Amino acid sequence: MDQQGQNGLLTTYREGWRNRSILGLTISLLLVSFYIVLYWEHKVQEQLGVAPFTAFSEAVGLRNRWYLYGFLYSVAMIGGAVYYLRRHGNSRYNRFRITVNVAIQIALGFTLPFIMPLFGGDELYFSYFWPLKYDYLYPQTLADVPLYFALYTVVGSLLAAPVLAVLYGKRWYCSWVCGCGGLANTFGDPWRHLTSKSTKSWRFEHLSIHLVLLIAIATTFLIGLDWLIGSDHPTFHRIISGDDWKDWSIKSFYGFAVGSILAGVIGTGLYPVFGPRVWCRNFCPMAAVLGWVQKVGRYRIKVKPGMCISCGNCSTYCEMGIDVRSYAQADQSFTRASCVGCGMCAHMCPRGVLKLENSWDRPEDKQRQRLSVVDF
Amino acid sequence: MRIVIIGNGVAGMEAALAVREREPSWEISLISEESDHFFSRTALMWVFSGQMSHRDIEPLERDAYARLGLRRVRARATGIDAAKRLVLMAGGLEPVPYDRLLIASGSRPRSGPWTGTDARGVGYFVTLQDLAWYESEVHGGSSRAGGPPRPDAHLPASAADSPYGFREVAAERRGRLAQRPAVIGGGLIGIEAVEVAVTAGLRPRFFIREEWFWPIALDPRESQWIADRMGHHGVDVHLEHEVEMLEADSDGNVAAVRTNEGRYEADCVVIAIGVVPNTSWLAGSAIELDERGGIVVDESLTTSAADVFAAGDCASVRWFDGSQRPEQLWYTARDQGRVAGRRLLGDSPRYERGAWYNSAKLMDIEYTTAGLVNWNLDGEQSWFFEEHGSVRSTTRVVVQQDRVVGFNMLGRRWDHSVLIGWIEEQRSLAWVLTHLNDAAFDTEFVPPLRIPGA
Ligand SMILES: Cc1cc2nc3c(=O)[nH]c(=O)nc-3n(C[C@H](O)[C@H](O)[C@H](O)COP(=O)(O)OP(=O)(O)OC[C@H]3O[C@@H](n4cnc5c(N)ncnc54)[C@H](O)[C@@H]3O)c2cc1C
Ligand code: SF4
Ligand code: SF4
């Protein structure tokens, strides 16, 4: 049966492992260790003489540790999806969204990249775009991949992604397609209430996400420049894209700081501490771009006037730390750049106050009201 | 200008914010016996189950008082000296002087008229202290969400008749948590008290005096569906049971509920037979109360005393049907608080109550109502449709002289503002049925309601 909204009461704060308890922090520690060993396996090998992930993946026929990671990632998403759907699957939006997202991960995030090399092709990810997949717009990458994929990436990153975000909000990507968002919404779901709603965290988000975007654009630009003139300027080339880790080139630094530390170790390892969207909310450059686009597009959360009882379920379960309640109490329909359209605020609301929609026709948005929390 | 507000609930807080927004330098004091921080009373049930923490149900960040320069007095007011413009305080505290005063002291639970209600293990579900008590009976304490803020802060000042006093816990005395709770009173607070007990894995009894659950809002068909859901979740619904007394064991812990139908064992009893204006502390002051205890106010929320206003659950206001009584709702308290804020500023706004609407969640079924439902109007007729399919819902449209006057909807989401618009435009039933989906507020991908023949 399709029901509206949350089915039965949750016991979130009565479950130790879902909160910042010893158990929760232990889970976080394990995740962080997992990522550190995964990313810096060569260091582990120097110390212990074994490369655990590489050895294991070769033993089970997964070629290298990144396929093993992709496999574990998919398994974590499937397990998390079962957990999520048992709680929230009574709503169609949740059911469709999670099913599509998991299917895309299995097909485009794991199976296709694994199979393509068997047929002599490259390992290509159709579900990621620049600037999230930062190297996909590097000229060298575009020159190396098949022409159709280069076109797919350029059109997808620069045209299709923003246009879809104008029409449907960034959710088309962040909550239906993206693997990072998919993991957050499945495996990370038990911790979604931990995302901070404080004004401080909002300020931090503004600063950090735009900083990373700036760095992403600058890095891409410099690498493009290097591709054009690098052969004439060896020092410039070494600084920009010397591939050796020890060189700390701009290119490898971006991969290290953003790709490994922010997206992996912090972004996923700290789910049980800061909630599941640490990366998406604070650092993802793609989210920053799509967020801007979303602000001028059709997507919004519509608020039913005068019906909100200020209970706070929407804000508590917003994984992006948006204080949805402050808009609902002010009878103010809204679009926030960070909103990934997961739909959980509308799902949790016990009074059916909120509705995600795509619409140009929204006269009441113009009469903006005072938000008691935000506007002072 | 010294503004004093008695009550840190939604009415008091909205008024304080409205004043602060325009007058950055006025002195604003909020007196509250119950809590340090403004919180949403509507959300007690989720703290109980563990769905939210105490922080989560506070709409403002905790530094808001400091940031906005709102002074707090955490103590009990015991009366008002309108001639000297003083709020009298319990616990030997200095009286608080005011230039303009707002009373927003909310509701208190209606106490049970039976013998035995003073047994240990008998309580209510209205205040933060009630929540702490009920959690202790059922869970043995609060969740990781933490207990109520500073439980000890006001105790010395609390009077015996305060609704904000802490209660002794039968479970502690007995050395065993409640296993068979009972809830008396078939209304919204009652069903919430039942649902949280279900979530805690118990099988509560639900004593309801009427023929069916919540007759002021539902008809028997609608109510039956809710009762079925309760039964499905393991609630023993006892309809047409008139409670006669509560029995205690030799140690003073509650042991049973006795009704006209028999004796039922119970080791924790929640009385939820309604709320009354929390104004007994005003007895003997110059403030006029109505027969229900509500503070009588005019359309600008002014009481019988000069520069004293009242808003929220404690105020007896003029309804759209002309009657004068309190409105015990969150959104009316919010709206009255905003109007009262402008009164405190010296404006003369009017509080105008529009059409009736409300929503609720009854176990896992969502409910929306708008207009005149269950008012027994002359010649009213109901159009009723029950949807069985991938979505289950009921739709009831009340019609009087071929004009639609009310809607009662279960199982789907509706935009009440659109429904009210149709009532005001005096639409016919046929028109409304063909346009019904324009008011749909369902989440995306939910198939629209299809009415055969419409
Ligand atoms: C369990 C429950 C569920 C509810 N659910 C809903 C719902 O779903 N929808 C809805 O519309 N409404 C609901 N309500 C009703 C709603 O909560 C109230 O209408 C609303 O909170 C009233 O706000 P208020 O500001 O008037 O008073 P309150 O929030 O009750 O605030 C009263 C304030 O006055 C202070 N105070 C009182 N007396 C004194 C004194 N003598 N000295 C000092 N301070 C004093 C208290 O400390 C408190 O701060 C629910 C109520 C309960 C109990
Ligand atoms: S505002 Fe709602 S839809 Fe947007 S991210 Fe938060 S919970 Fe999800
Ligand atoms: S919008 Fe809904 S969930 Fe959010 S505070 Fe209001 S009633 Fe609660």
Side-chain angles (χ1 to χ4, degrees), chain A residues 309 351, chain B residues 6-12 31-35 39 41-45 75-78 104-107 125-127 164 188-189 192 275 278 281 311-314 327-333 358-360:
Chain A
I309 56 169
R351 298 293 176 267
Chain B
I6 302 175
N8 195 4
V10 58
I31 301 177
S32 167
E33 184 187 5
E34 181 176 22
S35 65
F39 71 97
R41 191 173 306 289
T42 50
L44 296 182
M45 65 184 292
R76 178 168 180 76
T78 53
S105 57
S107 298
F125 195 47
V126 171
T127 65
Y164 310 114
L188 284 179
I189 298 180
E192 290 185 2
V275 295
N278 181 16
W281 59 280
D313 277 19
C314 64
E327 296 176 306
Q328 290 141 338
L329 289 171
W330 181 268
Y331 71 86
T332 54
N358 199 10
S359 69

Short mmCIF file of all heavy atoms in Angstrom, two decimals, chain A residues 309 351, chain B residues 6-12 31-35 39 41-45 75-78 104-107 125-127 164 188-189 192 275 278 281 311-314 327-333 358-360, ligand 1:
data_model
loop_
_atom_site.label_atom_id
_atom_site.label_comp_id
_atom_site.label_asym_id
_atom_site.label_seq_id
_atom_site.Cartn_x
_atom_site.Cartn_y
_atom_site.Cartn_z
N ILE A 309 3.44 22.62 12.34
CA ILE A 309 3.39 22.64 13.80
C ILE A 309 4.79 22.76 14.40
O ILE A 309 4.99 22.52 15.58
CB ILE A 309 2.69 21.40 14.36
CG1 ILE A 309 3.38 20.12 13.86
CG2 ILE A 309 1.21 21.39 14.00
CD1 ILE A 309 2.93 18.85 14.57
N ARG A 351 2.45 16.45 9.07
CA ARG A 351 1.30 17.25 8.71
C ARG A 351 1.21 17.49 7.21
O ARG A 351 0.43 18.31 6.76
CB ARG A 351 1.31 18.58 9.46
CG ARG A 351 1.23 18.45 10.99
CD ARG A 351 -0.12 17.91 11.45
NE ARG A 351 -0.16 17.70 12.89
CZ ARG A 351 0.13 16.57 13.51
NH1 ARG A 351 0.50 15.50 12.80
NH2 ARG A 351 0.05 16.46 14.82
N ILE B 6 4.67 36.48 29.79
CA ILE B 6 4.60 35.26 30.62
C ILE B 6 4.32 34.10 29.67
O ILE B 6 3.24 33.99 29.11
CB ILE B 6 3.51 35.37 31.69
CG1 ILE B 6 3.79 36.59 32.58
CG2 ILE B 6 3.44 34.09 32.53
CD1 ILE B 6 2.70 36.87 33.59
N GLY B 7 5.31 33.27 29.50
CA GLY B 7 5.15 32.15 28.56
C GLY B 7 6.22 32.19 27.49
O GLY B 7 6.39 33.18 26.79
N ASN B 8 6.94 31.10 27.38
CA ASN B 8 8.03 30.96 26.44
C ASN B 8 7.63 29.97 25.36
O ASN B 8 8.44 29.27 24.77
CB ASN B 8 9.24 30.44 27.24
CG ASN B 8 10.55 30.57 26.50
OD1 ASN B 8 10.60 31.11 25.41
ND2 ASN B 8 11.59 30.05 27.11
N GLY B 9 6.32 29.85 25.13
CA GLY B 9 5.82 28.96 24.09
C GLY B 9 5.72 29.70 22.76
O GLY B 9 6.31 30.78 22.61
N VAL B 10 4.98 29.16 21.82
CA VAL B 10 4.97 29.75 20.48
C VAL B 10 4.34 31.14 20.50
O VAL B 10 4.83 32.06 19.85
CB VAL B 10 4.30 28.82 19.45
CG1 VAL B 10 2.88 28.48 19.83
CG2 VAL B 10 4.38 29.41 18.07
N ALA B 11 3.27 31.32 21.28
CA ALA B 11 2.62 32.63 21.30
C ALA B 11 3.56 33.67 21.89
O ALA B 11 3.77 34.74 21.32
CB ALA B 11 1.32 32.55 22.11
N GLY B 12 4.17 33.35 23.03
CA GLY B 12 5.08 34.28 23.67
C GLY B 12 6.30 34.58 22.81
O GLY B 12 6.72 35.73 22.66
N ILE B 31 9.04 35.11 30.90
CA ILE B 31 8.96 34.32 32.12
C ILE B 31 8.45 32.94 31.77
O ILE B 31 7.42 32.82 31.09
CB ILE B 31 8.00 34.98 33.13
CG1 ILE B 31 8.47 36.40 33.46
CG2 ILE B 31 7.87 34.13 34.39
CD1 ILE B 31 7.55 37.15 34.39
N SER B 32 9.17 31.92 32.18
CA SER B 32 8.68 30.57 31.91
C SER B 32 9.06 29.64 33.05
O SER B 32 10.21 29.59 33.46
CB SER B 32 9.27 30.03 30.61
OG SER B 32 9.03 28.65 30.53
N GLU B 33 8.09 28.93 33.53
CA GLU B 33 8.37 27.97 34.58
C GLU B 33 8.83 26.64 34.00
O GLU B 33 9.58 25.89 34.61
CB GLU B 33 7.08 27.74 35.41
CG GLU B 33 7.32 26.83 36.59
CD GLU B 33 6.03 26.46 37.30
OE1 GLU B 33 4.96 26.84 36.83
OE2 GLU B 33 6.13 25.78 38.34
N GLU B 34 8.38 26.38 32.79
CA GLU B 34 8.54 25.04 32.25
C GLU B 34 9.94 24.73 31.72
O GLU B 34 10.48 23.65 31.98
CB GLU B 34 7.53 24.84 31.11
CG GLU B 34 7.58 23.47 30.48
CD GLU B 34 6.50 23.31 29.44
OE1 GLU B 34 6.01 24.34 28.92
OE2 GLU B 34 6.14 22.16 29.14
N SER B 35 10.53 25.66 30.97
CA SER B 35 11.78 25.31 30.29
C SER B 35 12.63 26.54 30.04
O SER B 35 12.15 27.66 30.02
CB SER B 35 11.47 24.66 28.95
OG SER B 35 10.84 25.60 28.11
N PHE B 39 10.38 25.50 22.90
CA PHE B 39 10.35 24.21 22.20
C PHE B 39 8.95 24.00 21.64
O PHE B 39 8.01 24.73 21.98
CB PHE B 39 10.71 23.06 23.16
CG PHE B 39 9.63 22.79 24.17
CD1 PHE B 39 8.69 21.78 23.97
CD2 PHE B 39 9.52 23.58 25.31
CE1 PHE B 39 7.68 21.55 24.89
CE2 PHE B 39 8.50 23.36 26.23
CZ PHE B 39 7.57 22.35 26.02
N ARG B 41 5.73 22.11 21.62
CA ARG B 41 4.95 21.19 22.45
C ARG B 41 4.33 20.08 21.60
O ARG B 41 4.12 18.96 22.06
CB ARG B 41 3.83 21.97 23.14
CG ARG B 41 3.11 21.21 24.22
CD ARG B 41 2.14 22.08 24.98
NE ARG B 41 2.76 23.27 25.53
CZ ARG B 41 3.62 23.28 26.54
NH1 ARG B 41 3.95 22.16 27.13
NH2 ARG B 41 4.14 24.40 26.96
N THR B 42 4.05 20.40 20.36
CA THR B 42 3.45 19.43 19.44
C THR B 42 4.34 18.22 19.21
O THR B 42 3.87 17.21 18.70
CB THR B 42 3.24 20.10 18.08
OG1 THR B 42 4.47 20.72 17.73
CG2 THR B 42 2.17 21.18 18.16
N ALA B 43 5.61 18.33 19.56
CA ALA B 43 6.58 17.29 19.15
C ALA B 43 7.01 16.38 20.29
O ALA B 43 7.96 15.62 20.14
CB ALA B 43 7.80 17.95 18.52
N LEU B 44 6.29 16.42 21.42
CA LEU B 44 6.70 15.59 22.55
C LEU B 44 6.78 14.12 22.17
O LEU B 44 7.67 13.39 22.61
CB LEU B 44 5.70 15.76 23.71
CG LEU B 44 5.60 17.15 24.34
CD1 LEU B 44 4.61 17.12 25.50
CD2 LEU B 44 6.96 17.62 24.83
N MET B 45 5.85 13.66 21.36
CA MET B 45 5.79 12.22 21.08
C MET B 45 7.05 11.71 20.39
O MET B 45 7.48 10.59 20.59
CB MET B 45 4.56 11.88 20.23
CG MET B 45 4.57 12.49 18.84
SD MET B 45 3.04 12.17 17.91
CE MET B 45 3.13 10.43 17.65
N ALA B 75 11.00 30.83 36.31
CA ALA B 75 10.32 30.69 37.60
C ALA B 75 8.82 30.79 37.37
O ALA B 75 8.36 31.10 36.27
CB ALA B 75 10.77 31.76 38.57
N ARG B 76 8.07 30.57 38.43
CA ARG B 76 6.62 30.55 38.32
C ARG B 76 6.03 31.91 38.68
O ARG B 76 6.34 32.47 39.73
CB ARG B 76 6.06 29.50 39.26
CG ARG B 76 4.54 29.42 39.27
CD ARG B 76 4.09 28.16 40.00
NE ARG B 76 2.63 28.05 40.02
CZ ARG B 76 1.92 27.68 38.98
NH1 ARG B 76 2.50 27.42 37.84
NH2 ARG B 76 0.60 27.57 39.09
N ALA B 77 5.17 32.41 37.82
CA ALA B 77 4.40 33.61 38.15
C ALA B 77 3.19 33.17 38.97
O ALA B 77 2.57 32.14 38.67
CB ALA B 77 3.95 34.31 36.88
N THR B 78 2.87 33.93 40.00
CA THR B 78 1.75 33.51 40.86
C THR B 78 0.59 34.48 40.80
O THR B 78 -0.45 34.24 41.40
CB THR B 78 2.19 33.40 42.32
OG1 THR B 78 2.81 34.63 42.69
CG2 THR B 78 3.18 32.26 42.50
N ALA B 104 0.81 34.56 27.97
CA ALA B 104 0.75 33.47 26.98
C ALA B 104 1.09 32.19 27.72
O ALA B 104 2.06 31.51 27.42
CB ALA B 104 1.73 33.73 25.84
N SER B 105 0.26 31.89 28.74
CA SER B 105 0.61 30.80 29.64
C SER B 105 0.05 29.45 29.20
O SER B 105 0.14 28.47 29.94
CB SER B 105 0.15 31.12 31.07
OG SER B 105 -1.23 31.38 31.09
N GLY B 106 -0.54 29.39 28.01
CA GLY B 106 -0.87 28.09 27.43
C GLY B 106 -1.98 27.34 28.15
O GLY B 106 -2.83 27.91 28.82
N SER B 107 -1.91 26.02 28.00
CA SER B 107 -2.92 25.12 28.56
C SER B 107 -2.31 24.28 29.65
O SER B 107 -1.09 24.11 29.71
CB SER B 107 -3.45 24.17 27.50
OG SER B 107 -4.06 24.85 26.46
N PHE B 125 0.25 14.07 29.38
CA PHE B 125 1.23 14.13 28.30
C PHE B 125 1.14 15.50 27.62
O PHE B 125 0.79 15.61 26.46
CB PHE B 125 0.95 12.99 27.30
CG PHE B 125 2.09 12.74 26.34
CD1 PHE B 125 3.40 12.65 26.79
CD2 PHE B 125 1.85 12.59 24.99
CE1 PHE B 125 4.45 12.42 25.91
CE2 PHE B 125 2.90 12.36 24.10
CZ PHE B 125 4.19 12.28 24.56
N VAL B 126 1.44 16.53 28.40
CA VAL B 126 1.28 17.89 27.89
C VAL B 126 2.56 18.73 28.06
O VAL B 126 2.92 19.51 27.18
CB VAL B 126 0.09 18.59 28.57
CG1 VAL B 126 0.04 20.07 28.22
CG2 VAL B 126 -1.22 17.91 28.17
N THR B 127 3.24 18.56 29.18
CA THR B 127 4.40 19.41 29.43
C THR B 127 5.70 18.61 29.30
O THR B 127 5.68 17.38 29.22
CB THR B 127 4.34 19.99 30.86
OG1 THR B 127 4.46 18.91 31.80
CG2 THR B 127 3.02 20.71 31.11
N TYR B 164 3.92 21.99 35.76
CA TYR B 164 5.31 21.81 35.37
C TYR B 164 6.14 21.16 36.46
O TYR B 164 7.36 21.24 36.45
CB TYR B 164 5.92 23.15 34.96
CG TYR B 164 5.06 23.89 33.96
CD1 TYR B 164 4.45 25.10 34.28
CD2 TYR B 164 4.84 23.36 32.69
CE1 TYR B 164 3.66 25.77 33.36
CE2 TYR B 164 4.04 24.01 31.77
CZ TYR B 164 3.44 25.23 32.12
OH TYR B 164 2.66 25.86 31.21
N LEU B 188 -6.64 13.66 20.29
CA LEU B 188 -5.34 13.66 19.61
C LEU B 188 -4.19 13.36 20.56
O LEU B 188 -3.26 12.64 20.20
CB LEU B 188 -5.12 15.01 18.94
CG LEU B 188 -5.93 15.17 17.65
CD1 LEU B 188 -5.68 16.53 17.05
CD2 LEU B 188 -5.54 14.08 16.66
N ILE B 189 -4.21 13.94 21.76
CA ILE B 189 -3.10 13.66 22.68
C ILE B 189 -3.16 12.20 23.12
O ILE B 189 -2.14 11.54 23.25
CB ILE B 189 -3.13 14.63 23.88
CG1 ILE B 189 -2.95 16.07 23.37
CG2 ILE B 189 -2.04 14.29 24.90
CD1 ILE B 189 -2.97 17.12 24.45
N GLU B 192 -1.66 9.96 20.54
CA GLU B 192 -0.19 10.09 20.53
C GLU B 192 0.42 9.30 21.69
O GLU B 192 1.43 8.61 21.52
CB GLU B 192 0.22 11.56 20.62
CG GLU B 192 -0.10 12.33 19.34
CD GLU B 192 0.39 13.77 19.34
OE1 GLU B 192 1.02 14.19 20.33
OE2 GLU B 192 0.14 14.47 18.35
N VAL B 275 -7.47 19.65 27.43
CA VAL B 275 -6.68 20.66 28.15
C VAL B 275 -7.59 21.83 28.49
O VAL B 275 -8.63 22.03 27.87
CB VAL B 275 -5.48 21.15 27.30
CG1 VAL B 275 -4.48 20.03 27.08
CG2 VAL B 275 -5.94 21.74 25.99
N ASN B 278 -4.44 27.54 31.15
CA ASN B 278 -3.57 27.48 32.32
C ASN B 278 -3.60 28.84 33.02
O ASN B 278 -2.68 29.65 32.89
CB ASN B 278 -2.15 27.14 31.84
CG ASN B 278 -1.17 27.03 32.97
OD1 ASN B 278 -1.56 26.93 34.13
ND2 ASN B 278 0.11 27.08 32.64
N TRP B 281 -3.58 30.40 38.24
CA TRP B 281 -2.68 31.28 38.98
C TRP B 281 -3.13 32.75 38.91
O TRP B 281 -2.62 33.59 39.65
CB TRP B 281 -1.25 31.13 38.48
CG TRP B 281 -1.10 31.44 37.00
CD1 TRP B 281 -1.40 30.62 35.96
CD2 TRP B 281 -0.66 32.66 36.43
NE1 TRP B 281 -1.18 31.25 34.76
CE2 TRP B 281 -0.70 32.50 35.03
CE3 TRP B 281 -0.21 33.88 36.95
CZ2 TRP B 281 -0.34 33.51 34.15
CZ3 TRP B 281 0.16 34.89 36.07
CH2 TRP B 281 0.09 34.70 34.68
N ALA B 311 -2.56 35.87 24.58
CA ALA B 311 -2.50 35.18 23.28
C ALA B 311 -2.23 33.71 23.50
O ALA B 311 -1.68 33.31 24.52
CB ALA B 311 -1.40 35.79 22.41
N GLY B 312 -2.61 32.93 22.51
CA GLY B 312 -2.34 31.50 22.56
C GLY B 312 -3.45 30.74 23.27
O GLY B 312 -4.57 31.22 23.43
N ASP B 313 -3.09 29.55 23.73
CA ASP B 313 -4.08 28.63 24.32
C ASP B 313 -4.86 29.21 25.48
O ASP B 313 -5.97 28.77 25.77
CB ASP B 313 -3.36 27.37 24.83
CG ASP B 313 -3.12 26.36 23.74
OD1 ASP B 313 -3.17 26.75 22.56
OD2 ASP B 313 -2.87 25.18 24.07
N CYS B 314 -4.29 30.19 26.20
CA CYS B 314 -4.94 30.69 27.40
C CYS B 314 -5.97 31.77 27.09
O CYS B 314 -6.75 32.15 27.97
CB CYS B 314 -3.90 31.23 28.38
SG CYS B 314 -2.99 32.65 27.74
N GLU B 327 -8.76 28.88 21.53
CA GLU B 327 -8.40 28.03 20.39
C GLU B 327 -7.11 27.35 20.80
O GLU B 327 -6.11 28.02 21.04
CB GLU B 327 -8.11 28.87 19.16
CG GLU B 327 -9.28 29.64 18.63
CD GLU B 327 -8.86 30.51 17.46
OE1 GLU B 327 -7.92 31.30 17.59
OE2 GLU B 327 -9.49 30.39 16.41
N GLN B 328 -7.13 26.04 20.88
CA GLN B 328 -5.92 25.37 21.36
C GLN B 328 -5.17 24.71 20.22
O GLN B 328 -5.12 23.50 20.11
CB GLN B 328 -6.31 24.37 22.46
CG GLN B 328 -6.75 25.12 23.71
CD GLN B 328 -7.91 24.48 24.41
OE1 GLN B 328 -8.67 23.71 23.84
NE2 GLN B 328 -8.06 24.78 25.70
N LEU B 329 -4.60 25.53 19.38
CA LEU B 329 -3.89 25.05 18.20
C LEU B 329 -2.57 25.77 18.06
O LEU B 329 -2.42 26.91 18.47
CB LEU B 329 -4.71 25.34 16.94
CG LEU B 329 -5.97 24.53 16.72
CD1 LEU B 329 -6.74 25.12 15.55
CD2 LEU B 329 -5.61 23.08 16.43
N TRP B 330 -1.65 25.10 17.42
CA TRP B 330 -0.34 25.69 17.22
C TRP B 330 -0.43 26.92 16.31
O TRP B 330 0.10 27.98 16.63
CB TRP B 330 0.61 24.65 16.61
CG TRP B 330 1.98 25.18 16.41
CD1 TRP B 330 2.48 25.76 15.27
CD2 TRP B 330 3.03 25.22 17.38
NE1 TRP B 330 3.77 26.15 15.48
CE2 TRP B 330 4.14 25.83 16.76
CE3 TRP B 330 3.15 24.78 18.70
CZ2 TRP B 330 5.35 26.02 17.43
CZ3 TRP B 330 4.36 24.97 19.36
CH2 TRP B 330 5.42 25.59 18.72
N TYR B 331 -1.11 26.78 15.17
CA TYR B 331 -1.06 27.92 14.24
C TYR B 331 -1.85 29.11 14.74
O TYR B 331 -1.51 30.25 14.45
CB TYR B 331 -1.47 27.51 12.81
CG TYR B 331 -2.93 27.18 12.59
CD1 TYR B 331 -3.85 28.18 12.31
CD2 TYR B 331 -3.38 25.87 12.61
CE1 TYR B 331 -5.18 27.88 12.07
CE2 TYR B 331 -4.70 25.56 12.38
CZ TYR B 331 -5.61 26.57 12.11
OH TYR B 331 -6.93 26.27 11.87
N THR B 332 -2.90 28.87 15.52
CA THR B 332 -3.62 30.02 16.06
C THR B 332 -2.78 30.70 17.14
O THR B 332 -2.77 31.92 17.25
CB THR B 332 -4.99 29.60 16.63
OG1 THR B 332 -4.79 28.54 17.57
CG2 THR B 332 -5.92 29.14 15.54
N ALA B 333 -2.05 29.90 17.93
CA ALA B 333 -1.17 30.50 18.93
C ALA B 333 -0.08 31.32 18.25
O ALA B 333 0.27 32.41 18.69
CB ALA B 333 -0.54 29.41 19.81
N ASN B 358 -7.36 22.04 9.83
CA ASN B 358 -6.40 21.38 10.72
C ASN B 358 -5.88 20.15 10.02
O ASN B 358 -6.41 19.71 8.99
CB ASN B 358 -7.07 21.01 12.05
CG ASN B 358 -6.04 20.77 13.14
OD1 ASN B 358 -4.86 21.06 12.98
ND2 ASN B 358 -6.50 20.24 14.26
N SER B 359 -4.83 19.59 10.58
CA SER B 359 -4.36 18.31 10.06
C SER B 359 -3.80 17.53 11.23
O SER B 359 -3.53 18.09 12.29
CB SER B 359 -3.29 18.52 8.99
OG SER B 359 -2.12 19.02 9.57
N ALA B 360 -3.65 16.26 11.04
CA ALA B 360 -3.12 15.41 12.11
C ALA B 360 -2.63 14.14 11.45
O ALA B 360 -2.84 13.90 10.26
CB ALA B 360 -4.19 15.09 13.14
C1 LIG C 1 1.02 16.40 23.06
C2 LIG C 1 0.47 17.60 22.35
C3 LIG C 1 0.34 17.57 20.97
C4 LIG C 1 -0.16 18.67 20.29
N1 LIG C 1 -0.26 18.59 18.93
C5 LIG C 1 -0.78 19.63 18.26
C6 LIG C 1 -0.94 19.57 16.85
O1 LIG C 1 -0.62 18.57 16.23
N2 LIG C 1 -1.45 20.63 16.18
C7 LIG C 1 -1.80 21.77 16.86
O2 LIG C 1 -2.25 22.71 16.21
N3 LIG C 1 -1.65 21.87 18.19
C8 LIG C 1 -1.18 20.82 18.91
N4 LIG C 1 -1.04 20.92 20.26
C9 LIG C 1 -1.43 22.17 20.90
C10 LIG C 1 -0.31 23.19 20.82
O3 LIG C 1 0.86 22.63 21.30
C11 LIG C 1 -0.67 24.42 21.63
O4 LIG C 1 -1.82 24.99 21.09
C12 LIG C 1 0.42 25.47 21.63
O5 LIG C 1 1.64 24.96 22.05
C13 LIG C 1 0.03 26.63 22.53
O6 LIG C 1 1.09 27.53 22.63
P1 LIG C 1 1.11 28.66 23.73
O7 LIG C 1 2.26 29.51 23.38
O8 LIG C 1 -0.22 29.27 23.82
O9 LIG C 1 1.35 27.93 25.12
P2 LIG C 1 2.42 26.90 25.63
O10 LIG C 1 3.25 26.37 24.54
O11 LIG C 1 1.67 25.92 26.43
O12 LIG C 1 3.36 27.75 26.56
C14 LIG C 1 3.03 28.06 27.86
C15 LIG C 1 4.17 28.80 28.49
O13 LIG C 1 3.72 29.47 29.62
C16 LIG C 1 4.59 29.26 30.71
N5 LIG C 1 3.82 29.38 31.92
C17 LIG C 1 2.54 28.98 32.12
N6 LIG C 1 2.13 29.29 33.35
C18 LIG C 1 3.15 29.91 33.95
C19 LIG C 1 3.33 30.48 35.23
N7 LIG C 1 2.38 30.49 36.12
N8 LIG C 1 4.51 31.03 35.50
C20 LIG C 1 5.50 31.07 34.59
N9 LIG C 1 5.38 30.54 33.37
C21 LIG C 1 4.22 29.97 33.05
C22 LIG C 1 5.18 27.91 30.44
O14 LIG C 1 6.42 27.80 31.08
C23 LIG C 1 5.29 27.90 28.93
O15 LIG C 1 6.52 28.49 28.54
C24 LIG C 1 -0.54 19.82 20.98
C25 LIG C 1 -0.41 19.86 22.36
C26 LIG C 1 0.09 18.78 23.05
C27 LIG C 1 0.22 18.84 24.52
#
